[in-house]
Amino acid sequence: MPSSISNSSSRAPNSPYLKIWITAVLLLTLMVLVAEFFWRNQGHLPSISDDQFLWTYNRSQVYSQDENRVITLLGGSRIQLGIVPEKLDVNFPEYQTIHLAIDGTSGYAVFEDLAKDQDFDGLIIMSATVAHFFPSSQDDQQPWVEYYHEQWSSFSWIEKYINMKVRVFLQNHLVIFSSHLNLRRQLMNSFDSSPNYVLMRENRYRAAYYYDRMSPEQLAEHRAQRIDRIGQVPDNQLNPEQEQVFEQIMVGQVSSLVEEMRSHGGDVIFLRMPTCDEHWELDEIRFPKEQYWDRIEELTGANTIHFKDVESLSNFDCPDTSHLDANDALVFTERLANELEKMNFIQFNE
């Protein structure tokens, strides 16, 4: 007698799963293409999101390989926006340029870390103001230094490296993966997002297109906000003892680090990047160039370059009084490279 009970699990599925998956992938691809077209039509361009691990990976690349040495760029936003690494690489093919600048910070902590690193034998170009050497700024980048030493000494960096490479690849090619277009920001801005005027590249250079990507009204407002932010410091609020503190730091700390760095083949150039108009006037009130910067070389033995002392570097416009436009950054980098060669600050293999 045949059984009336059948084994339903033995039946082959009737649903067209392959077609469903293909349709889903096609719809997803279509949605991505539509969103990509929409944001690009609004003027948005690909830009990399910076984070501590991307910085850490670049920090791991500062060591000489074969006969090629490394130029390491330190400092804050002025050098990150103002010096184009690939331009230096063209001028100095025996060197590779690594950007370790961090927005809004002093590069002192990374300078100290590399000076004490016995394996480092490259050249540092450190963008700085006099204020960046004082104790209140010396630890600005210490969290990044500590993160590098923690991550690169464990196996956890491998997974983070793979994730970083995937993220950077996607952000390099697709606008929709840019951090400034994430859903939270779009909801906050009611999906009215103006294109970023700063675009970050994989090598951590940030190109700032003030004139190409900001309207005159936007730029005027941005400039006014920066001037208001830096404020005014009356003469009677300046610390009368700061010059003595400055000398102690230069002689007691910086000179020792310069000497230690040179003992294992490294070297440093302290670079004063351009500031303009109200910003430069305030810089001179706080730390007069002749009284402070002009004494760094004498007190530390380090090479220095100040934009006011080099004619080819002194006539740049700063749209927001503090940074170079991306178009000027190319010219500034070219001229700086010429000065480095002229001053014999760059060593070539025989």
Side-chain angles (χ1 to χ4, degrees):
M1 179 176 179
S3 173
S4 60
I5 301 174
S6 63
N7 186 357
S8 59
S9 62
S10 64
R11 294 178 181 175
N14 295 322
S15 301
Y17 289 108
L18 180 60
K19 290 182 179 179
I20 292 175
W21 277 107
I22 292 175
T23 302
V25 170
L26 289 175
L27 285 174
L28 179 61
T29 302
L30 180 62
M31 290 172 62
V32 169
L33 291 175
V34 169
E36 185 73 11
F37 176 80
F38 172 79
W39 289 122
R40 285 183 182 264
N41 195 49
Q42 298 296 312
H44 293 272
L45 294 173
S47 182
I48 303 301
S49 301
D50 197 11
D51 61 23
Q52 281 189 323
F53 191 80
L54 180 59
W55 185 92
T56 290
Y57 171 71
N58 280 271
R59 166 64 178 83
S60 72
Q61 303 299 300
V62 302
Y63 304 103
S64 299
Q65 297 180 6
D66 300 324
E67 295 183 351
N68 291 331
R69 297 180 68 201
V70 173
I71 297 174
T72 303
L73 306 179
L74 304 185
S77 57
R78 287 180 194 154
I79 194 169
Q80 195 173 21
L81 273 62
I83 293 187
V84 186
E86 49 265 49
K87 194 70 174 173
L88 284 182
D89 291 342
V90 169
N91 283 74
F92 306 120
E94 293 181 321
Y95 286 77
Q96 178 189 8
T97 305
I98 302 294
H99 237 312
L100 293 184
I102 301 170
D103 186 23
T105 62
S106 160
Y108 188 92
V110 182
F111 159 63
E112 182 179 29
D113 182 53
L114 291 175
K116 295 179 177 181
D117 187 339
Q118 297 299 310
D119 294 324
F120 178 75
D121 62 353
L123 173 67
I124 289 175
I125 299 178
M126 176 175 163
S127 168
T129 66
V130 171
H132 289 160
F133 293 101
F134 278 75
S136 59
S137 297
Q138 287 184 2
D139 291 334
D140 285 356
Q141 297 181 0
Q142 190 61 31
W144 281 263
V145 172
E146 293 174 0
Y147 185 85
Y148 163 75
H149 287 291
E150 291 170 1
Q151 293 297 319
W152 226 249
S153 61
S154 68
F155 286 109
S156 65
W157 71 267
I158 299 174
E159 181 182 354
K160 290 184 174 67
Y161 173 79
I162 294 171
N163 291 336
M164 178 203 73
K165 281 296 185 179
V166 172
R167 173 177 62 84
V168 167
F169 175 83
L170 292 173
Q171 290 182 333
N172 255 334
H173 293 86
L174 296 172
V175 169
I176 59 172
F177 287 100
S178 298
S179 62
H180 61 280
L181 292 179
N182 65 45
L183 182 59
R184 182 179 63 84
R185 291 193 182 184
Q186 292 310 306
L187 289 172
M188 290 174 59
N189 296 324
S190 301
F191 288 87
D192 180 21
S193 177
S194 299
N196 262 12
Y197 71 94
V198 179
L199 303 175
M200 183 163 176
R201 299 176 186 169
E202 185 175 356
N203 61 8
R204 300 192 70 259
Y205 164 63
R206 296 170 65 209
Y209 296 96
Y210 292 96
Y211 296 116
D212 294 346
R213 300 180 65 79
M214 297 180 79
S215 68
E217 294 76 19
Q218 288 174 325
L219 181 54
E221 181 181 359
H222 180 77
R223 180 185 176 100
Q225 289 174 350
R226 174 162 289 277
I227 293 172
D228 183 62
R229 190 158 62 245
I230 61 176
Q232 299 294 324
V233 180
D235 291 342
N236 60 8
Q237 288 187 13
L238 296 175
N239 182 356
E241 298 178 353
Q242 71 179 9
E243 187 174 1
Q244 181 179 354
V245 174
F246 169 74
E247 291 180 1
Q248 292 172 347
I249 292 170
M250 291 295 112
V251 175
Q253 297 180 27
V254 179
S255 63
S256 299
L257 291 173
V258 171
E259 184 178 350
E260 184 172 1
M261 179 176 291
R262 287 174 173 168
S263 71
H264 49 77
D267 207 347
V268 62
I269 300 168
F270 296 124
L271 170 67
R272 182 54 162 87
M273 293 288 292
T275 52
C276 308
D277 305 323
E278 297 93 336
H279 208 306
W280 170 247
E281 292 169 6
L282 184 58
D283 290 340
E284 275 295 272
I285 292 174
R286 287 173 168 162
F287 298 102
K289 175 178 177 293
E290 184 177 351
Q291 191 174 342
Y292 289 92
W293 183 275
D294 290 353
R295 302 182 59 207
I296 292 178
E297 192 165 336
E298 162 201 344
L299 294 172
T300 67
N303 295 313
T304 64
I305 298 177
H306 195 293
F307 75 98
K308 284 288 186 181
D309 294 332
V310 183
E311 184 177 359
S312 65
L313 305 180
S314 63
N315 57 354
F316 283 89
D317 167 52
C318 310
D320 65 350
T321 73
S322 186
H323 302 93
L324 297 178
D325 183 82
N327 297 298
D328 282 338
L330 286 167
V331 181
F332 182 86
T333 305
E334 176 73 27
R335 293 182 181 179
L336 176 64
N338 292 336
E339 291 300 322
L340 292 172
E341 189 170 359
K342 187 187 305 181
M343 297 175 180
N344 294 320
F345 287 167
I346 296 289
Q347 301 175 8
F348 296 95
N349 296 328
E350 295 292 338

